[in-house]
């Protein structure tokens, strides 16, 4: 008895293996275009399992390839008589369509759609078959009829996909929104789909379609999801005031967290829309009763005012900081503000002594090691500002030791390397940067790689590192906000080392400093020189992108910018700027799609 069971089991296993091998052979024949051999293999497989629809359809597809339409017709009719399979009616209709017999084709398509009258769930199989055969109008009819017959069914996502293939953007958006109404958990996925069809241009037809649909939804039903979606659209269009209006409407209805509005303010700041960001953070200060949220608002407004203010405004900014500390005290709760104030004192008011004393007092707070690390990073930076490099290194290395392998530790190690570079200890700096190339923080890894290449390229060319020492001095002056002095030193580098690899680096660094001082024509000339004379430089794509941005944002020459974005796409497709360049190139070209 046991032996008999073993034989049966062995036979079943052998059969499964044989079938799997035959299936693989059949697929290989089909994929390589050997249709006669594929047909023979699939017929063998189907004869062993006549319920396998995949084998049946493969045979039909092969017979159609070989123009054996009558054989395919007979095979499909036999299968339809044996089992209720509305999708096979579609396949039969398509077999007639391939023979240009539209009357019979439409007859079977209509029969397939008519099966929904008895069972609306047939739409899943019928509609999908129509889609697979690119019979999109019939698929639309199928899905719409199913939803009329059985409203609980929702094929809006399928319809959206089909309308997108047909280029009917307005109906596609409507279908996506209808689906989201019933399935709000899919809203983020729908944003991703929609983002492929909209652009930064608010006058783009697709943007207008979506805006009208959402405004209509807001009028019809008081669902904050539509306000959120509309806010998202305005953010894509960089219309932050309009997004802010939607976010305020959401907040006033729900009176919950201000997190969404804070996030909007951060996005506006990141996009350099500083006036809008200030409006948002001032609203947060005026609205919230939560002290931590209020302090976040104060912190961001002061940082933006510092970033955008002229020196004559600095005293007012200082008084604002002082007023906040008078109101809330210098405590662990205001630690972020104290760090920000110390930075302002040292880098903008040229008062590093007061800044250092302020930060040293906070080292006694009972706060987390991560919060202390932020204090020590700022302390180190201020000591570098004063060129007290060894003292700065003490704070950076403490962070490395206390927060091993963390992002903050990696940032501290980068600053150790940068400080060594400022000191002229290029060998030690390079050894630290080699380790940081694999940092978990992409930003730190990129910065480390850039600095390592700068050092290694120039150490190899000049054993005395004369040019590199001058460049490092200019880099330090720029860090110290002494931009005019830095520009002067870089000018000396360009004058004295005309044929060395440092030249494109010096041109690029000088250009970024010219931009800070609003010397846009001078910046343009530097970027153009890199593009013209240093085509093999690793900074080529940086120069193209920065010059394109300069043309768009400062020089009002969008056509020139378009050429540069295009150059990145065609000649530097692996650049980190490629994605943004493509987006901005299409926007300038006026594409309907993003």
């Amino acid at each position: 008895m046991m032996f008999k069971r073993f034989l049966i089991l062995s036979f079943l296993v052998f059969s499964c293996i044989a079938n799997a091998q035959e299936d693989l052979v059949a697929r290989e024949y089909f994929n390589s275009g050997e249709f006669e051999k594929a047909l023979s293999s699939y017929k063998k497989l189907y004869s062993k399992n006549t319920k396998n629809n995949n084998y049946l359809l493969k045979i039909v597809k092969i017979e159609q390839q070989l123009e054996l339409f009558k054989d395919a017709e007979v095979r499909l009719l036999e299968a339809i008589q044996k089992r209720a399979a509305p999708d096979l009616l579609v396949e039969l209709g398509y077999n007639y369509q391939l023979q240009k017999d539209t009357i019979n084709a439409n007859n079977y398509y209509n029969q397939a759609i008519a099966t929904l009258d008895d069972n609306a769930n047939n739409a899943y199989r019928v509609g999908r078959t129509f889609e697979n055969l690119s019979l999109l109008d019939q698929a639309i009819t199928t899905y719409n009829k199913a939803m009329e017959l059985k409203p609980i069914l929702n094929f809006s996502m399928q319809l959206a996909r089909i309308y997108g293939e047909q280029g009917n953007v307005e109906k596609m958006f409507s279908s996506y929104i209808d689906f989201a109404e019933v399935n709000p958990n899919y809203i983020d996925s729908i944003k991703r789909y929609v983002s492929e069809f909209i652009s930064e241009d608010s006058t783009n037809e697709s943007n207008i379609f979506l805006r009208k649909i959402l405004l209509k939804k807001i009028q019809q039903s008081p669902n904050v999801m539509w306000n959120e979606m509309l806010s998202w659209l305005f953010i894509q269009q960089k219309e932050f005031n309009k997004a802010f209006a939607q976010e305020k409407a959401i907040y006033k209805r729900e009176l919950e967290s201000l997190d969404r509005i804070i996030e909007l303010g951060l996005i506006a700041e990141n996009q350099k829309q500083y006036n809008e960001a200030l409006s948002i953070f001032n609203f947060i200060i005026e609205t919230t009763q939560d002290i931590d949220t209020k302090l976040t608002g104060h912190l961001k407004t002061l940082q933006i005012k510092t970033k955008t203010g002229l020196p004559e405004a600095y005293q007012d900014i200082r008084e604002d900081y002082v007023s906040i500390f008078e109101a809330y005290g210098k405590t662990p709760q205001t630690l972020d503000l104290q760090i920000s104030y110390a930075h302002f004192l040292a880098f903008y008011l040229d008062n590093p002594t007061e800044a250092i004393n302020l930060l040293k007092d906070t080292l006694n707070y009972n706060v987390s090691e991560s919060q202390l690390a932020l204090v020590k990073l700022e302390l180190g930076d201020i000591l570098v500002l004063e060129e007290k490099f060894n003292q700065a290194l003490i704070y950076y290395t403490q962070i490395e030791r206390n927060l091993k392998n963390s992002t903050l530790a990696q940032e501290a190690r980068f600053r150790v390397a940068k400080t060594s570079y400022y000191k002229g200890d290029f060998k030690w700096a390079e050894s630290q940067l080699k380790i940081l190339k694999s940092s978990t923080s992409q930003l730190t890894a990129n910065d480390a790689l850039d600095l390592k290449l700068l050092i290694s390229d120039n150490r190899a060319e000049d054993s005395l590192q004369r040019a590199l020492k001058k460049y490092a001095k200019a880099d330090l002056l720029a860090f110290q906000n002494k931009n005019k002095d830095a520009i002067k030193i870089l000018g000396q580098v360009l004058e004295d080392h005309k044929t060395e690899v440092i030249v494109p680096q010096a041109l690029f660094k000088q250009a970024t400093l010219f931009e800070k001082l609003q010397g846009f024509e001078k910046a343009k000339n530097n970027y153009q020189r890199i593009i013209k004379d240093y085509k093999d430089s690793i900074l080529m794509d940086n120069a193209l992108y920065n010059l394109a941005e300069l043309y768009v944002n400062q020089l009002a020459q969008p056509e020139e910018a378009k050429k540069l974005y295009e150059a990145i796409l065609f000649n530097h497709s692996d650049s980190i700027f490629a994605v943004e360049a493509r987006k901005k190139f299409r926007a300038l070209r006026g594409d309907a799609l993003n």
Side-chain angles (χ1 to χ4, degrees), residues 10 35 51-52 54 70 112-113 174 179 181 224 233 267 270 323 338 346 349 378 402 408 478 518 523 554 574:
S10 299
F35 295 122
K51 292 181 180 179
N52 190 312
N54 289 330
K70 191 64 182 176
I113 295 169
S174 291
F179 186 83
E181 191 164 20
V224 294
L233 174 62
I267 293 170
N270 186 52
S323 296
Q338 291 181 71
L349 292 185
E378 191 61 51
N402 296 335
L408 279 170
Q518 299 192 339
Q554 305 297 342
D574 58 345

Side-chain angles (χ1 to χ4, degrees), residues 449-543:
L449 179 60
D450 288 344
L451 186 56
K452 185 199 171 295
L453 290 172
L454 170 70
I455 294 170
S456 58
D457 288 351
N458 288 283
R459 283 185 69 217
E461 182 162 305
D462 178 7
S463 59
L464 298 176
Q465 290 111 47
R466 287 165 296 193
L468 185 57
K469 286 174 183 175
K470 289 178 187 174
Y471 185 92
K473 176 63 177 174
D475 217 347
L476 176 60
L477 287 166
F479 177 76
Q480 294 168 327
N481 269 345
K482 298 174 182 177
N483 293 325
K484 290 181 181 178
D485 293 336
I487 287 170
K488 187 176 179 181
I489 297 286
L490 291 166
Q492 291 174 11
V493 173
L494 294 170
E495 183 63 31
D496 298 339
H497 306 273
K498 293 180 180 177
T499 60
E500 298 180 30
V501 293
I502 198 80
V503 172
Q505 294 278 358
L507 284 168
F508 188 82
K509 182 72 178 179
Q510 197 181 53
T512 61
L513 297 175
F514 281 139
E515 285 196 67
K516 281 188 176 181
L517 298 176
Q518 299 192 339
F520 302 124
E521 283 296 327
K522 290 180 179 179
K524 180 185 82 170
N525 292 336
N526 276 31
Y527 292 135
Q528 286 178 332
R529 189 172 158 194
I530 296 169
I531 293 164
K532 179 176 179 289
D533 298 337
Y534 299 94
K535 289 182 170 57
D536 295 330
S537 169
I538 59 171
L539 290 171
M540 182 66 175
D541 58 331
N542 300 66

